[in-house]
Amino acid sequence: MKTVFVLNGPNLNLLGVREPATYGSATLAHIETRLRALAGPQGVEIVFRQSNSEGDLVTWIQEAGQAGAPVILNAGAYTHTSIAIHDAIRGAKAEVVEVHLSNTHAREEFRHHSYISPVAKGVILGFGARSYELALQSLFPSQ
Ligand code: DQA
């Protein structure tokens, strides 16, 4: 069975109520349900997690790398600050697709830089909850 880790960083547990004009109305649970529905028929198992702690994300990226499982990663604000997550991706040789709900380049300047992009396989942003679905399709193209 193929496995993909879907890892979510700080404040993404608030999706649905958090700034819906920016992030949309879908909750994280909705996103998880949708991804499982898409992945199941392809025989892809999803490990779906969220944490507000940087260290949890580092540990889970290492776990995915050791398991040889790709990662769909929305690191939230840690995207713009975390050398530790950058190092975890490099160190664990994790295959990461960076995702964001919003188009961070169309927002405040402090969101324009990502520590994850240089070590990511690809980046998908700005498509709301669909960013996650597009990331899944990029890793497991359906025939
Ligand atoms: C985000 C963008 C980040 O800048 C922000 O800190 C988030 C969410 C997104 O999905 O658009 O928490 O990663």
Side-chain angles (χ1 to χ4, degrees), residues 10 12 18 23 74-77 79-80 99-102 104 107 111:
L12 293 167
R18 177 193 182 199
Y23 297 119
N74 185 350
T79 303
H80 317 299
V99 301
H100 300 284
L101 297 140
S102 63
T104 51
R107 301 181 62 196
R111 296 185 203 276

Side-chain angles (χ1 to χ4, degrees), residues 89-104:
I89 295 167
R90 285 172 78 146
K93 293 193 169 64
E95 182 187 13
V96 168
V97 179
E98 176 184 354
V99 301
H100 300 284
L101 297 140
S102 63
N103 177 356
T104 51

